[in-house]
Amino acid sequence: MSESTEAPRLWIKSYQATDRDPITRRFCRSTGLSTPAAVGTLHMLWWWVLDWAQDGDISKYQDIDIADAVSFDGEPQVLMRALVDAGYVIETQAGREIANWFKIGGQIIESKKQDAERKREAREKKRLKKEGLSDVQEKSVGHPLDSPGTSEGVPTDVRSIDKDLDIDIDIDLELNKDLKIYGDADQNQEQNQKSRPTVEKSAAPDESEKPGKPGKKGSKGRKKPEYAADSLYFRMATGFKERLDKLAKSEGVETLVPRANLQSWADDFRKLVELDKQSDIQQIADVMDWVVKDSFWKRNVLSGETFREKYPKLLLAMKESKKTATGNKGSGGGGRYGHQKEEIPIVQDDGKAGTPTTSEFDAMMQRAAEIKAEKIRAREAAGR
């Protein structure tokens, strides 16, 4: 009897403070789940997405599908609304997606695809070697025979291969350094880098290849710039963070962005101004003020990176909302563009105030009779 083969296991990143994170506490309050149950529910959701929505987009699934995936006993709509309010699911114009999915599970999927491609290439090389179709370099251990009509007996195609190899190694070094800076380099990439052949350069590196000064980018190393506390972009980052903190207090929570990196946010605002050509600083500040008040966007824009990414949509939405508000004020006859109407106070009558006495009533009736008699005499006089 043959032994059963176990299916390959995939791993996701798990934030070690998930149980103590304020947004998890908010998720517990919204769903009524205990902290251990909430943490388990979140991990079951991420595992399920790893199998059925590998790009993190869950738009095609209904609330009941998500509730069934995590074995939630309550109302599916309550679960989904709690995930959105806590920030674990992001609502976009196109649908819904898992927040920070690439860091949680997306890297695993990408690494799996790269590993499958490497295995495919290895099988192809093995097949070619078995069929005797290996290239001349493998047969002569990297030293092909002299070829007439070429410089120093080295074929032109061999030179291009060496050049491409050199370029590939430089690109890999760049990528590996970037990944280390952001803490996303995995062990497989480091091992592959060690196993790759190295090409020694006799010439000294030029100035552009030397490590840059702190706070500047070099062609290699790519360290993010550091911004002074009084710089424009750092003040923009702190200004947006203060607006989010005020929003958190109004919602009754301690903070909405417990792990905010203001240096990273400042760099996002620099890119917004310099790369995206959004140079109107006052307009950016107006969008900051508006976004924390809008019922939809205040739940979905909680970082400098997202603010930059969604800025064109935020700007258009803000302008549209102001047009709508101005139109409503003008059509009602009041407000900024209409005429102010005089306010008439309304007095409640209790049935007692202003009621005449018997003598006052008799006097009013007598006066009414006199007025009527005077009108009759006036008409008679006019008819003569």
Side-chain angles (χ1 to χ4, degrees), residues 243 281-291 318 322:
R243 289 170 172 83
I281 305 301
Q282 183 57 51
Q283 182 174 262
I284 295 175
D286 292 341
V287 175
M288 288 184 189
D289 292 332
W290 175 83
V291 75
M318 180 189 73
K322 287 185 176 181

Side-chain angles (χ1 to χ4, degrees), residues 245-256:
D245 289 341
K246 290 181 181 179
L247 173 61
K249 290 181 180 179
S250 67
E251 297 292 337
V253 296
E254 184 176 350
T255 179
L256 295 173

